[in-house]
Amino acid sequence: CPARTVLRLATALPGPPGRAAGPGQDRHSDHGQGQGSARPQPLDPSLLRFLVCPLSKRPLRYEEATNELINEELGIAYPIIDGIPNMVPEAARTTQKKPPAEGSKQP
Amino acid sequence: MAAAGLCPCRALLSGRGGALRALCGAVRGLAAGPETHFGFQTVTEAERREKIYQVFESVAKKYDVMNDSMTLGIHRVWKDILVHKMNPSPGTLLLDVAGGTGDIAFRFINYVRSARERQLQRKLKNHQNLSWQEISESYQEDKFKLLGDSQVVVCDINKEMLKVGKQKAQHLGYSEGLSWVLGNAEELPFDDDKFDVYTIAFGIRNVTRIDLALEEAYRVLKPGGRFLCLEFSRVSNPLLSRLYDLYSFQVIPVLGEVIAGDWKSYQYLVESIRRFPPQEELKAMIEDAGFLKVDYQNLNSGIVAIHSGFKL
């Protein structure tokens, strides 16, 4: 069951959800603007309980390497930007070499 | 694609016009097709989505300040009333759609936190004869989870609004039980039957296909789940209505220009309020989506209304 694999991955994710309020954080820095964060922020693991592909409503797989949520069936991937999953079809990119069936505009 | 015709409305915009309203009434009938409205303009659905995105992209940073100025802080009371009406118990899963800057989410967290504290105090009061086992357990963090498994997911279509919301959360110290998703209310990226409560506060007015958003709301709610919508509505009292119109069309866009440097966005705002269906019509739309026991509560004589429905 893909959902279970996703859940297992979720518990192994780096970066606790509470990191946003860490004491070392500079609260006035504009998050994501020219901070030059090399490591992309993963999403809150608890979200994986609820998230599905908005188009097919089928489960997604979290891909740690590219920090994306992948719908294998449709061959599309939703990006995660600054820890926020971008779940609009327009933002998804196709993961296959076929001509894109869904919108693949770059975010 | 049909060409977007600008209503001559723009020139007439000093807040009057039975003729104006009749024209826009005709336009509204076309809302189901590719043509729809952006304030008092006629545009295609695609254009409307784009324009609305730009409005909120533009106002995001000043959104909260503008809310306070335009409503003289009263929007805070309206939002408090919404969460009190919700009366969430610890363990509730809330989906806040169009929740951008987090106002409802933060209130929800505060509410369940206090409810949880009271729950724990009552427990301690009633169980004076604790065993050593129970006492040692009570020293563990987990047992006293401050939110008691409550969770709120904030979903918004606008990146800028979410950014502001996330920064606010950091600033105010909200982290536990709160997550952010960029998504479209008409096409939610959530599975069926997942949430206990769905809220949309001052957001449904900006959705292009309200019927789709309502259907999605129904889909993602658990059976027994509650739909709550807080939105500007119709003032029936004629005197109040005139004063309200005056204030809306003369004062608000000016405030928008002075505070946010953006007259046009706030012009859109007041126009969109006038275009939005009144209480009974919205109630019917909510019922069409399948909700039962649909009702509404007017606040401030109908300037704002809270609609509620259940998935039963």
Side-chain angles (χ1 to χ4, degrees), chain B residues 25-253:
Chain B
V27 168
R28 194 197 293 179
L30 298 172
E35 287 222 316
T36 179
H37 55 87
F38 176 76
F40 291 148
Q41 299 173 38
T42 306
V43 295
T44 61
E45 282 191 1
E47 282 170 330
R48 186 189 141 102
R49 290 195 172 97
E50 181 61 35
K51 279 166 141 30
I52 291 177
Y53 192 93
Q54 285 164 0
V55 164
F56 285 93
E57 196 174 45
S58 163
V59 308
K61 295 209 169 79
K62 292 284 172 68
Y63 186 72
D64 292 338
V65 172
M66 273 305 294
N67 283 346
D68 276 335
S69 325
M70 288 190 301
T71 66
L72 307 172
I74 302 176
H75 74 103
R76 297 166 184 241
V77 177
W78 293 331
K79 289 165 182 165
D80 287 341
I81 294 176
L82 178 70
V83 176
H84 271 81
K85 192 179 174 87
M86 190 196 305
N87 190 22
S89 47
T92 299
L93 286 172
L94 169 66
L95 174 64
D96 183 30
V97 175
T101 56
D103 280 350
I104 303 298
F106 303 150
R107 281 171 171 78
F108 169 80
I109 291 176
N110 293 340
Y111 197 97
V112 295
R113 214 181 257 164
S114 338
R116 178 77 173 150
E117 272 167 21
R118 275 178 276 129
Q119 203 179 48
L120 293 173
Q121 273 168 13
R122 269 199 305 267
K123 234 176 160 186
L124 287 176
K125 251 200 211 170
N126 294 333
H127 292 83
Q128 293 297 348
N129 302 323
L130 293 175
S131 68
W132 283 116
Q133 170 87 7
E134 285 168 318
I135 293 176
S136 75
E137 272 176 1
S138 78
Y139 283 108
Q140 292 163 24
E141 284 275 7
D142 276 11
K143 199 102 210 283
F144 284 89
K145 249 195 286 205
L146 276 180
L147 291 189
D149 284 328
S150 317
Q151 208 180 337
V152 49
V153 178
V154 179
C155 180
D156 199 295
I157 199 170
N158 194 294
K159 209 172 280 181
E160 289 307 311
M161 294 290 280
L162 281 175
K163 223 163 104 174
V164 171
K166 219 172 169 213
Q167 281 169 359
K168 247 170 84 175
Q170 263 179 276
H171 194 69
L172 297 170
Y174 294 99
S175 61
E176 199 192 320
L178 172 64
S179 25
W180 309 84
V181 175
L182 199 150
N184 186 343
E186 299 170 5
E187 212 168 19
L188 289 174
F190 303 109
D191 210 355
D192 302 0
D193 306 318
K194 282 277 177 264
F195 294 97
D196 296 308
V197 186
Y198 173 112
T199 49
I200 182 164
F202 301 116
I204 203 165
R205 197 178 75 252
N206 302 306
V207 170
T208 299
R209 291 286 305 276
I210 296 177
D211 55 334
L212 294 180
L214 292 172
E215 279 169 24
E216 281 291 84
Y218 191 86
R219 181 181 67 79
V220 303
L221 276 171
K222 289 182 193 166
R226 187 175 201 180
F227 168 87
L228 283 166
C229 168
L230 173 66
E231 190 53 84
F232 289 107
S233 200
R234 210 49 63 87
V235 176
S236 40
N237 177 309
L239 174 62
L240 186 58
S241 179
R242 291 202 89 200
L243 289 172
Y244 181 43
D245 278 355
L246 224 96
Y247 180 73
S248 297
F249 288 100
Q250 307 298 335
V251 176
I252 288 181

Side-chain angles (χ1 to χ4, degrees), chain B residues 214 277-289 291 293-296 307-308:
Chain B
L214 292 172
Q279 288 85 332
E280 282 294 325
E281 206 177 308
L282 182 59
K283 176 175 175 212
M285 290 171 82
I286 296 172
E287 284 167 340
D288 282 344
F291 290 100
K293 295 198 72 54
V294 180
D295 202 4
Y296 59 85
H307 281 71
S308 163

